[in-house]
Amino acid sequence: GQQVMQIPQYQHVQEGEDFTTYCNSSTTLSNIQWYKQRPGGHPVFLIQLVKSGEVKKQKRLTFQFGEAKKNSSLHITATQTTDVGTYFCAGPPRVGGADGLTFGKGTHLIIQP
Amino acid sequence: DGGITQSPKYLFRKEGQNVTLSCEQNLNHDAMYWYRQDPGQGLRLIYYSQIVNDFQKGDIAEGYSVSREKKESFPLTVTSAQKNPTAFYLCASNEGTSGSTDTQYFGPGTRLTVL
């Protein structure tokens, strides 16, 4: 079945440093989604990428979808303490279905002030 | 005030007991999902339902059961057959096949601890 892998599992940064997490799927994805989960909270949708090579920005966050639609990345510029949490990528197992999402294990971002 | 509610937030049960977790949504979404999250891990799909009175097993359905008698509700029962039930359980919904996106909206979750 479809597998989604994320690296690194944990990332410690000093406040103000940049952060990047990488996501790779074993199969081509129709779209990829990113979610953020704060400590003790639930996943919250951040963004969806659909097109090959797509790049989207949300303030300090930059999301990329690979040309082959099998990998993606999330880059945060100048991290702040509010960025703490776990970032998950997720993709649907098939196009247009409502079968749920396959999630990566997430990257835990820890920020030291 | 639209959204997904889950109750209770924390749940304790004795080994060998069945327990039912509640999930309600007023987003008028067709599809609903149950995920399990273990510490430091990602989310794994337990069951999902694309329409009322129909549901399918996810990747880790053994030891769980669900029902979908109403569009708004998708309760999950953790049975005594589930060998490692202690986890964080998340319910989610989306528009389903009638919608244009797979984006999922999550409830606040229920933390189940088996004593």
Side-chain angles (χ1 to χ4, degrees):
Chain A
Q2 180 190 56
Q3 289 185 317
V4 176
M5 292 144 286
Q6 264 185 273
I7 57 169
Q9 187 175 1
Y10 294 91
Q11 183 74 58
H12 292 77
V13 301
Q14 296 283 337
E15 188 176 6
E17 291 181 339
D18 293 355
F19 159 78
T20 304
T21 173
Y22 300 91
C23 180
N24 285 284
S25 171
S26 58
T27 59
T28 301
L29 298 168
S30 61
N31 69 78
I32 194 158
Q33 301 169 37
W34 286 90
Y35 292 79
K36 177 183 178 181
Q37 184 176 24
R38 293 181 184 275
H42 59 277
V44 174
F45 173 76
L46 292 177
I47 207 160
Q48 180 184 42
L49 304 172
V50 178
K51 299 177 183 176
S52 169
E54 188 170 13
V55 177
K56 286 188 176 180
K57 292 190 176 183
Q58 288 180 350
K59 297 183 181 179
R60 295 179 294 104
L61 278 62
T62 302
F63 303 84
Q64 291 188 318
F65 200 11
E67 294 290 339
K69 301 184 74 173
K70 294 180 72 173
N71 58 72
S72 181
S73 65
L74 158 59
H75 179 83
I76 302 178
T77 304
T79 55
Q80 300 174 359
T81 54
T82 54
D83 296 325
V84 164
T86 303
Y87 293 84
F88 294 97
C89 61
R94 63 184 178 94
V95 177
D99 304 343
L101 298 172
T102 300
F103 282 80
K105 290 189 176 182
T107 295
H108 303 261
L109 173 59
I110 299 118
I111 298 176
Q112 294 151 346
Chain B
D1 193 20
I4 302 176
T5 57
Q6 289 185 245
S7 61
K9 187 172 182 180
Y10 297 95
L11 187 57
F12 298 87
R13 78 152 210 219
K14 292 182 179 179
E15 203 168 330
Q17 290 180 337
N18 291 356
V19 62
T20 298
L21 281 58
S22 167
C23 177
E24 304 278 333
Q25 55 98 0
N26 61 5
L27 301 167
N28 199 34
H29 284 169
D30 288 322
M32 297 186 73
Y33 309 84
W34 275 103
Y35 293 90
R36 168 184 173 139
Q37 186 176 33
D38 293 285
Q41 299 296 312
L43 283 66
R44 293 183 290 167
L45 184 64
I46 304 172
Y47 266 99
Y48 63 99
S49 168
Q50 297 177 344
I51 197 167
V52 174
N53 291 323
D54 188 40
F55 48 83
Q56 284 77 39
K57 293 181 179 180
D59 299 322
I60 55 166
E62 185 176 351
Y64 300 97
S65 66
V66 293
S67 63
R68 187 86 185 278
E69 298 176 1
K70 298 187 299 181
K71 187 175 185 177
E72 303 79 20
S73 178
F74 191 40
L76 173 75
T77 297
V78 185
T79 75
S80 56
Q82 169 50 234
K83 297 191 184 304
N84 297 295
T86 295
F88 187 37
Y89 291 88
L90 288 156
C91 179
S93 72
N94 70 9
E95 295 172 319
T97 53
S98 61
S100 59
T101 177
D102 303 298
T103 302
Q104 300 207 339
Y105 299 84
F106 285 87
T110 293
R111 294 191 183 276
L112 173 64
T113 302
V114 175
L115 304 171

